[in-house]
Amino acid sequence: MDLSLPQPYSPPPQGHVSHSRLERVLRSGRFAITAELNPPDSADPADVYDAARPLGEVADAINATDASGANCHMSSIGISALLTRAGYSPVYQISCRDRNRIAIQGDVLGAAAMGVSNVLCLTGDGVGVGDQPGAKPVFDFDSLSLLRTIRTMRDERKFLSGRTITNPPLLFLGAAENPCIPPYEWRPERLAKKVEAGAEYIQTNYIYDVPLFEKFMARVRDMGLDKKVFILAGVGPLASARAARWMRSNVPGIHIPDAVIDRMEKADKPGQEGKKICVELIQQMREIAGVSGVHVMAYRKEHQVSEIIQESGVLASRKRTCLPG
């Protein structure tokens, strides 16, 4: 682990907006891998590094989630700082739920100063679904206005107030999308708004219904959006048929077909079957035109991510290192 200081401020490579490894991989046409680090309920940095180590074996960038599900954990900016310090490449997730525009713009500059090169702009889940429903929500921004704000800070070197930023945050801008939430025909249009607002890459929610996702991607290609934004399809291993049913019933926007649940139900070793399904999904995503990579989410099972990616074979032709950026 290299506990090094961030690199001195310098312009990004020509044709790039940041020093991000993820941006370099995507713009080179290689199939990209991002993975989600589940934040600890702890102040021990070793908990972050233990979770990051297996992800760093395969990932081009590691997502630091921002109180997902409106549940409190170690902060995304804290995790991002630890990851950059150790030489990993974080995706700094920002939820609009908890901070106003003054705090968010300051955090963006602070994250960039610490060496963060990727950001994911999220509106955020409402506080009512989390573990502290009495918290006061902010929602000064939504994901679209957050994208526009950070793009203004980066490209125009200005805060929203109009004040000049001496050295702007060199960030690769991302957003989330959920192709499997109805009305399905509206999802590509929603994606187009995020691209217009400044999104340069997209990470989707979990995809288990490949035909439904293929219809989404067909419309994306018809609209020419695949030429304007890099799309990383969300995948993850299921632990059991019971867990799959719970996700389908309780997590908004996750559609798991009956055939997938039946397959888990009949498996002698459901956990192994869930991994196998995830490997197959990655292989299928690799063949869909317009898909630039996958985003792997394995809740509290980061050690499985490296195994899944290696077994999928999608990185067989690449030498793996999770470099800073």
Side-chain angles (χ1 to χ4, degrees):
M1 190 160 43
D2 175 21
L3 302 182
S4 57
L5 294 173
Q7 295 297 311
Y9 192 92
S10 62
Q14 188 171 3
H16 293 229
V17 298
S18 73
H19 294 283
S20 162
R21 173 182 173 82
L22 177 60
E23 181 181 6
R24 294 198 302 272
V25 168
L26 287 168
R27 294 196 188 283
S28 73
R30 289 174 286 173
F31 195 73
I33 304 293
T34 56
E36 198 161 279
L37 188 151
N38 299 288
D41 295 336
S42 164
D44 187 349
D47 293 334
V48 173
Y49 297 137
D50 288 345
R53 198 168 292 112
L55 302 181
E57 295 174 358
V58 293
D60 297 302
I62 299 173
N63 279 50
T65 61
D66 188 13
S68 59
N71 295 308
C72 187
H73 308 285
M74 185 186 288
S75 71
S76 57
I77 196 167
I79 291 171
S80 295
L82 290 170
L83 291 177
T84 58
R85 188 180 179 207
Y88 295 109
S89 175
V91 174
Y92 168 40
Q93 292 190 191
I94 303 176
S95 168
C96 299
R97 175 189 55 243
D98 305 316
R99 297 184 294 285
N100 69 13
R101 65 190 64 194
I102 298 172
I104 287 175
Q105 289 173 90
D107 283 348
V108 165
L109 288 186
M114 290 185 293
V116 173
S117 295
N118 311 290
V119 65
L120 191 76
C121 299
L122 304 168
T123 298
D125 301 309
V127 297
V129 303
D131 59 357
Q132 299 180 57
K136 291 186 181 297
V138 180
F139 292 115
D140 196 13
F141 286 148
D142 61 12
S143 60
L144 295 175
S145 53
L146 178 56
L147 281 165
R148 294 188 192 102
T149 296
I150 300 178
R151 184 178 63 179
T152 297
M153 294 174 69
R154 184 191 69 193
D155 296 350
E156 299 180 23
R157 297 173 175 243
K158 291 182 179 180
F159 292 111
L160 287 183
S161 66
R163 284 173 41 226
T164 298
I165 297 172
T166 307
N167 290 311
L170 303 177
L171 295 168
F172 191 40
L173 301 184
E177 189 50 76
N178 195 336
C180 298
I181 186 170
Y184 305 121
E185 62 275 11
W186 289 7
R187 306 321 298 179
E189 280 70 20
R190 178 69 175 171
L191 173 61
K193 290 181 180 179
K194 292 183 178 181
V195 173
E196 183 182 3
E200 291 150 332
Y201 70 95
I202 295 290
Q203 293 175 329
T204 81
N205 207 332
Y206 289 105
I207 305 294
Y208 291 104
D209 191 328
V210 177
L212 183 58
F213 181 62
E214 287 179 325
K215 290 180 181 178
F216 168 81
M217 288 303 303
R219 179 61 179 148
V220 165
R221 293 192 298 271
D222 289 344
M223 296 173 68
L225 296 174
D226 59 314
K227 308 299 182 185
K228 299 178 180 179
V229 68
F230 299 104
I231 296 176
L232 288 81
V235 298
L238 295 167
S240 65
R242 180 181 178 183
R245 290 194 186 94
W246 186 91
M247 288 175 63
R248 186 167 69 176
S249 299
N250 295 280
V251 183
I254 294 185
H255 173 59
I256 304 177
D258 289 338
V260 173
I261 294 178
D262 290 344
R263 181 172 165 184
M264 293 290 294
E265 193 84 69
K266 295 173 182 176
D268 293 332
K269 297 180 178 179
Q272 290 298 316
E273 193 68 17
K275 285 178 58 181
K276 184 178 179 182
I277 290 171
C278 188
V279 167
E280 293 170 5
L281 285 170
I282 293 171
Q283 293 169 338
Q284 292 175 70
M285 298 302 170
R286 183 72 176 86
E287 301 304 316
I288 299 175
V291 174
S292 300
V294 289
H295 176 53
V296 188
M297 297 165 279
Y299 185 70
R300 303 295 182 204
K301 294 182 178 179
E302 287 91 349
H303 63 281
Q304 288 190 359
V305 174
S306 180
E307 299 169 10
I308 288 168
I309 295 300
Q310 298 292 356
E311 290 175 23
S312 74
V314 295
L315 298 181
S317 62
R318 289 176 55 185
K319 293 182 179 179
R320 300 305 309 141
T321 351
C322 197
L323 299 177

